[in-house]
Amino acid sequence: MDSRLRVLALLILLPRFFTLLAISSVFFTSRVIGAEGAIGVNYGMLGNNLPSPAQVISMYKAKNINYVRLFHPDTAVLAALRNSGIGVVLGTYNEDLARLASDPSFAASWVSSYVQPFAGAVSFRYINAGNEVIPGDPAANVLPAMRNLDAALKAAGISGIPVTTAVATSVLGVSYPPSQGAFSEAASPYMAPIVAYLASRGAPLLVNVYPYFAYAADAERVQLGYALLSASQSASVTDGGVTYTNMFDAIVDAAHAAVEKATGGQAVELVVSETGWPSGGGGVGATVENAAAYNNNLIRHVSGGAGTPRRPGKPVETYLFAMFNENQKPEGVEQHFGLFQPDMTEVYHVDFAASS
């Protein structure tokens, strides 16, 4: 989760979200799983006091967390994942994108270092080339890097690992109503060919989805229950005959709509590669109680298999952010997204049994 891009995402999304709130007030009512609906957890490592990789992977297994996302390749973590049965999303460093895009031999070396030695014993789900770099200066490198990594995997005789990228919701220029979701003018020149490429290969797009930031930016008008996926909240939003009772589904479906527009109607599966709620750090609504509510409600929602209003019955593979509070992230809420403290005690309880 990149703070600069998160701010950009808010600048793009919030004006439209405020419009959504104004209109939705008219419609207030009283009113898994295979891998597709899996719940995983991001394993961030921006801390100088974190447990060893072996301890962390043991925690994943003990807590019934069957999927992990790694932001960058780490051979110690990959070694700890051997024969664990845990599904792995493996990311590249953003700073490696330029070389991955321009130098096929570097992509081949990357695969030979971080995928090939582990391919028989580690269950790789996806490789994501870059995290939240679209729109931005490195954006032009994403698709060439994806192509080179895909070619390197094939040359190494490795099949069945889709190559994709992870984007923030800053790629959306229109987000309300969800059915009108579209990529921004800045993002579209990069996103349109990327999603076409993914569609041609049956690969998913990874999207980072954070209702928290929309809520925190205007807590007086954004209903907390709508952001927390609370069953007791009374707000709903009607869009083209379908009803949204939570912001998570609305954001995901806005991204679905944007992809369909960019591909001429072709569907690309979306994986929510990050989502979460801070438990502290001084931000509006950043409390242990709200964080526990969001993550537990989300697990129940995703694990129920209902999908989203635009994709009913299609579970959304989702990765919570993050495993630990990380003390080397920027001060404030960024240091408080962890489910666990660095000493491996719970910040609050999350019921992963509900996702099995």
Side-chain angles (χ1 to χ4, degrees), residues 138-212:
N141 295 319
V142 174
L143 183 54
M146 289 168 57
R147 292 183 185 277
N148 283 343
L149 285 167
D150 194 41
L153 288 168
K154 289 180 171 59
I158 299 169
S159 61
I161 307 176
V163 180
T164 181
T165 190
V167 299
T169 46
S170 54
V171 297
L172 297 176
V174 177
S175 59
Y176 176 79
S179 62
Q180 298 304 306
F183 294 125
S184 70
E185 289 185 10
S188 187
Y190 309 105
M191 291 305 303
I194 285 172
V195 295
Y197 179 83
L198 295 174
S200 72
R201 284 157 174 73
L205 175 68
L206 309 188
V207 183
N208 299 338
V209 174
Y210 284 96
Y212 168 75

Side-chain angles (χ1 to χ4, degrees), residues 113-127:
S113 296
Y114 303 120
V115 181
Q116 201 166 7
F118 305 97
V122 173
S123 300
F124 291 105
R125 289 193 56 68
Y126 321 112
I127 292 171

Side-chain angles (χ1 to χ4, degrees), residues 251-330:
I251 295 172
V252 171
D253 275 358
H256 274 133
V259 167
E260 289 170 20
K261 288 180 177 66
T263 60
Q266 287 183 283
V268 172
E269 183 180 349
L270 298 185
V271 170
V272 175
S273 41
E274 292 180 36
T275 191
W277 196 284
S279 62
V284 175
T287 68
V288 169
E289 293 76 17
N290 286 344
Y294 180 80
N295 284 312
N296 282 291
N297 289 343
L298 183 71
I299 289 174
R300 285 189 290 269
H301 179 65
V302 171
S303 301
T308 65
R310 195 176 182 90
R311 293 283 184 277
K314 178 68 172 175
V316 182
E317 183 175 342
T318 300
Y319 292 77
L320 304 182
F321 185 88
M323 193 68 171
F324 298 103
N325 285 334
E326 299 167 69
N327 66 0
Q328 293 178 324
K329 292 184 74 67

Side-chain angles (χ1 to χ4, degrees), residues 213-282:
F213 290 103
Y215 169 76
D218 192 17
E220 291 186 3
R221 288 192 288 175
V222 180
Q223 291 217 356
L224 179 61
Y226 187 70
L228 290 177
L229 297 90
S230 173
S232 62
Q233 61 86 29
S234 59
S236 65
V237 174
T238 299
D239 174 21
V242 298
T243 300
Y244 289 88
T245 59
N246 66 80
M247 196 189 304
F248 176 86
D249 283 352
I251 295 172
V252 171
D253 275 358
H256 274 133
V259 167
E260 289 170 20
K261 288 180 177 66
T263 60
Q266 287 183 283
V268 172
E269 183 180 349
L270 298 185
V271 170
V272 175
S273 41
E274 292 180 36
T275 191
W277 196 284
S279 62

